[in-house]
Amino acid sequence: VTGSQTIKQAWQEDGGAYVAGQGIWITSNVYNGSNGFDATSVSASILPYKTNGTWDYTLTNTNAKALSSEQGYMLYGFGDRADNMLNATVHPTVIKANGNLTMGNVSTSVPASATIWTLLGNPYASPLDADAVLTQTNMDPEMYVWDPTLAGNYGLGGYVLVERNISNGTYQRTPFGGSPTADASARYIHSGQAFFVKATGSSASFNVTESMKASGLSIVNPIMNGSTDQQIYTNLMIVNPDNSASLADGIRVRFDDTYTAATTDDILKFSNSSESIASYRDGKRIMVEKRPMISANDTVFLRITSPAIKNYRLVIASIDFNQPGVTAFLQDNYLGTITPITLNGSVNEFDFSVTAVAASASPDRFRIVFGAPSGPLPISFTSIKAYQQGTNVAVEWKVAAELNVKNYEVEKSTNGINFVKVGTQLAIGNNSSDVTYNWLDVNPVSGNNFYRIRSTENSGLIKYSAIAKVNIGKLVPSITVYPNPVTGKQVNLQFTAMDKGMYNIRLINTMGQTVYSTQYSHAGGSATQSISINGVVAGAYMMELISPDNSKQSIRLQVLN
């Protein structure tokens, strides 16, 4: 609509009586009781957009700001006006505005820039055909829209890119979930929807006419396809407790010899407020990277930012990829693993976890390497345990296929988060053999003592082991299992003040069948032992622990993946 109705008069129902299902709360850090805002918050819950490509945090009064004075807003909704903002219950609501409908031609300037996006809005009370918008003079044929269905730390959604393929006039969305099939209706922009566009090297005019109105509707997060070039896409998924996965973000790499090796034709990334993934080159975070065909070894540097401590999954697949002789691998710099990627159109899934260990959340943890992996595979920690030995704590760790390792550092913490180096061991194998190392802590603290091992390879690659914990003090003998439910086929047994001897461990399914068994020789006292249950399918189990004195303990265990 046009007119002078303010934000407070429109979306805040003029601050009047609270009516269920209508209006929203709008908060700000400058709230003073008389400037239109409803309550105080750390930052404003409504943001206009500046012409320099940044959000405007200076809105001071919703009772003085005309709703129609901006092309679009970022708006965080707190539920309807009758809702208590501290109430976690979801309340649907309707926001509305009064005034004259916008009719006729509308023209807005889009400044020339290779990097700055301009926020526009569909001015009509009707869907708008993006095909007419994105084919205007000096306009790049793509736009960013907000998809509220994307998962994330806050469950608020994230930015997705919509590209128009010049060769055939079809559309493509990055990231996309499910099958990348074409959606003919996805070209439409909803009434009231704001979106970002960018001019080419010269200024453009965003001209909207009545003829661009459309009768079709799209879903909020359109799935678009139709590219004719070869592609590899990578989606970042959040793995839920039931092992289902929610799409958080994604990127795409497109290959064609018409693209340059530089970043001049790439599409830069919009950062999400939570988990975000991009490719990274020349100091730029990229959403869609456009490259020539691969002629030799090459690398796509992935960059994941703002992850939480939880389980994730990388989904990597190719579309119409046909470059004979090219192979691909996913390299995990934290775990030190290199895993093949199939490029025949099938979907590759790689699960990983972000923990309290800072390196597990490193932005440059992953990369996609084309061609044969260079150098030997990094070493792998197979176990770490720590146990009380008199007044000391003994730490033992084992590595498999040790080669090209410089040294190991023992790191200690009293809270499991902040670690400091307390010891160093030179590598003694370096011949692809399995090696066991021991270190004695003669100064443990009363209470919890956490230990982990940091390995440094000759190449400079750093890798961390799991964390082992020992509690010094008067302890009640016990055996606990974590995590439970189990993810990643790795189970940790925490022995607290337990007797020395051989412990038998069995995993029994609901039919009473033993599906896994092993033994653990415990040195006595407190220690952590990790066991791998590869081959055990997801389901409910009973873990049976038989002590050296033949006493038995049973623990219910849920295996998710």
Side-chain angles (χ1 to χ4, degrees), residues 29-229:
N29 58 315
V30 298
Y31 165 78
N32 62 14
S34 61
N35 58 355
F37 296 104
D38 292 300
T40 299
S41 57
V42 175
S43 183
S45 65
I46 185 171
L47 300 174
Y49 198 70
K50 296 181 180 181
T51 56
N52 65 356
T54 61
W55 291 108
D56 185 356
Y57 288 85
T58 62
L59 181 60
T60 58
N61 194 324
T62 63
N63 203 27
K65 178 78 169 178
L67 182 67
S68 61
S69 63
E70 298 286 344
Q71 283 284 323
Y73 300 87
M74 170 65 82
L75 179 68
Y76 288 89
F78 287 106
D80 60 19
R81 293 287 297 175
D83 191 19
N84 181 342
M85 290 189 297
L86 301 180
N87 190 343
T89 304
V90 176
H91 288 176
T93 191
V94 173
I95 57 175
K96 60 183 183 287
N98 293 328
N100 294 321
L101 288 178
T102 301
M103 302 176 66
N105 298 343
V106 177
S107 181
T108 305
S109 176
V110 180
S113 174
T115 58
I116 295 177
W117 295 74
T118 298
L119 182 64
L120 301 176
N122 178 0
Y124 296 142
S126 164
L128 187 66
D129 190 344
D131 203 55
V133 174
L134 299 180
T135 55
Q136 299 189 47
T137 303
N138 296 335
M139 190 82 76
D140 275 348
E142 62 255 353
M143 61 181 177
Y144 269 105
V145 298
W146 183 264
D147 182 351
T149 69
L150 290 186
N153 288 346
Y154 312 108
L156 300 177
Y159 290 107
V160 297
L161 178 75
V162 176
E163 294 177 87
R164 183 182 189 276
N165 294 294
I166 298 175
S167 59
N168 56 12
T170 58
Y171 288 84
Q172 195 161 37
R173 174 186 186 274
T174 306
F176 63 87
S179 175
T181 55
D183 180 1
S185 70
R187 60 197 280 178
Y188 303 116
I189 302 168
H190 285 265
S191 173
Q193 182 178 9
F195 54 96
F196 290 91
V197 297
K198 182 165 61 69
T200 59
S202 301
S203 296
S205 290
F206 171 62
N207 298 308
V208 183
T209 65
E210 294 280 343
S211 64
M212 295 179 183
K213 291 181 177 179
S215 59
L217 285 174
S218 71
I219 57 176
V220 173
N221 54 326
I223 296 176
M224 303 184 176
N225 194 39
S227 175
T228 57
D229 50 16

Side-chain angles (χ1 to χ4, degrees), residues 101-399:
L101 288 178
T102 301
M103 302 176 66
N105 298 343
V106 177
S107 181
T108 305
S109 176
V110 180
S113 174
T115 58
I116 295 177
W117 295 74
T118 298
L119 182 64
L120 301 176
N122 178 0
Y124 296 142
S126 164
L128 187 66
D129 190 344
D131 203 55
V133 174
L134 299 180
T135 55
Q136 299 189 47
T137 303
N138 296 335
M139 190 82 76
D140 275 348
E142 62 255 353
M143 61 181 177
Y144 269 105
V145 298
W146 183 264
D147 182 351
T149 69
L150 290 186
N153 288 346
Y154 312 108
L156 300 177
Y159 290 107
V160 297
L161 178 75
V162 176
E163 294 177 87
R164 183 182 189 276
N165 294 294
I166 298 175
S167 59
N168 56 12
T170 58
Y171 288 84
Q172 195 161 37
R173 174 186 186 274
T174 306
F176 63 87
S179 175
T181 55
D183 180 1
S185 70
R187 60 197 280 178
Y188 303 116
I189 302 168
H190 285 265
S191 173
Q193 182 178 9
F195 54 96
F196 290 91
V197 297
K198 182 165 61 69
T200 59
S202 301
S203 296
S205 290
F206 171 62
N207 298 308
V208 183
T209 65
E210 294 280 343
S211 64
M212 295 179 183
K213 291 181 177 179
S215 59
L217 285 174
S218 71
I219 57 176
V220 173
N221 54 326
I223 296 176
M224 303 184 176
N225 194 39
S227 175
T228 57
D229 50 16
Q230 302 180 35
Q231 302 182 36
I232 292 177
Y233 70 86
T234 302
N235 283 347
L236 176 65
M237 316 291 292
I238 296 174
V239 179
N240 303 310
D242 62 356
N243 202 38
S244 64
S246 303
L247 178 64
D249 200 8
I251 63 166
R252 194 185 299 269
V253 182
R254 300 170 60 171
F255 298 93
D256 193 282
D257 282 333
T258 61
Y259 299 141
T260 68
T263 60
T264 52
D265 52 1
D266 296 341
I267 303 174
L268 299 184
K269 173 72 179 182
F270 256 34
S271 292
N272 295 327
S273 56
S274 54
E275 296 93 341
S276 185
I277 186 172
S279 65
Y280 193 72
R281 273 199 305 155
D282 297 341
K284 299 176 181 178
R285 301 175 70 255
I286 302 169
M287 183 74 159
V288 174
E289 191 171 358
K290 301 177 182 180
R291 295 178 168 220
M293 295 296 189
I294 300 171
S295 59
N297 291 346
D298 204 350
T299 302
V300 175
F301 296 93
L302 303 178
R303 197 169 186 87
I304 299 175
T305 53
S306 301
I309 296 179
K310 61 176 66 172
N311 296 322
Y312 292 96
R313 178 175 299 153
L314 288 176
V315 175
I316 304 175
S318 58
I319 301 175
D320 299 329
F321 192 88
N322 183 26
Q323 300 186 45
V326 173
T327 56
F329 303 84
L330 179 68
Q331 181 174 339
D332 184 338
N333 291 324
Y334 170 61
L335 294 181
T337 57
I338 298 177
T339 309
I341 300 171
T342 58
L343 298 175
N344 59 2
S346 59
V347 174
N348 303 261
E349 295 185 348
F350 306 93
D351 285 8
F352 69 99
S353 298
V354 173
T355 67
V357 180
S360 70
S362 176
D364 57 356
R365 174 173 173 174
F366 294 100
R367 66 183 66 180
I368 298 174
V369 179
F370 297 100
S374 58
L377 292 177
I379 62 103
S380 176
F381 288 101
T382 58
S383 71
I384 176 175
K385 60 183 179 181
Y387 52 90
Q388 189 172 349
Q389 194 175 77
T391 59
N392 305 320
V393 173
V395 181
E396 176 188 291
W397 67 97
K398 297 180 180 180
V399 296

Side-chain angles (χ1 to χ4, degrees), residues 368-546:
I368 298 174
V369 179
F370 297 100
S374 58
L377 292 177
I379 62 103
S380 176
F381 288 101
T382 58
S383 71
I384 176 175
K385 60 183 179 181
Y387 52 90
Q388 189 172 349
Q389 194 175 77
T391 59
N392 305 320
V393 173
V395 181
E396 176 188 291
W397 67 97
K398 297 180 180 180
V399 296
E402 183 184 77
L403 190 66
N404 292 323
V405 177
K406 181 181 179 181
N407 60 31
Y408 301 94
E409 295 177 355
V410 182
E411 296 186 345
K412 180 179 175 180
S413 170
T414 57
N415 59 12
I417 299 175
N418 303 311
F419 285 82
V420 296
K421 183 176 74 171
V422 292
T424 302
Q425 292 267 32
L426 295 176
I428 61 175
N430 279 327
N431 56 2
S432 298
S433 61
D434 298 346
V435 187
T436 300
Y437 290 89
N438 294 277
W439 182 83
L440 190 67
D441 184 3
V442 297
N443 295 302
V445 300
S446 177
N448 289 330
N449 295 261
F450 297 88
Y451 302 90
R452 72 182 183 191
I453 309 301
R454 166 184 162 133
S455 68
T456 303
E457 300 190 14
N458 293 331
S459 64
L461 179 66
I462 303 296
K463 185 179 177 185
Y464 290 87
S465 72
I467 297 174
K469 183 181 84 169
V470 175
N471 187 285
I472 303 296
K474 186 176 182 180
L475 304 174
V476 177
S478 66
I479 302 175
T480 57
V481 177
Y482 68 94
N484 189 6
V486 178
T487 59
K489 305 297 185 182
Q490 193 79 14
V491 183
N492 299 304
L493 303 179
Q494 177 64 54
F495 289 77
T496 303
M498 295 299 293
D499 293 335
K500 178 180 179 181
M502 186 67 70
Y503 288 77
N504 291 291
I505 304 165
R506 294 198 304 161
L507 209 56
I508 303 170
N509 65 16
T510 55
M511 300 177 64
Q513 300 168 319
T514 299
V515 298
Y516 175 87
S517 63
T518 188
Q519 289 183 317
Y520 167 56
S521 180
H522 181 46
S526 298
T528 301
Q529 173 66 23
S530 297
I531 61 174
S532 176
I533 56 172
N534 289 324
V536 176
V537 299
Y541 297 91
M542 190 69 71
M543 176 172 279
E544 186 179 80
L545 304 165
I546 302 175

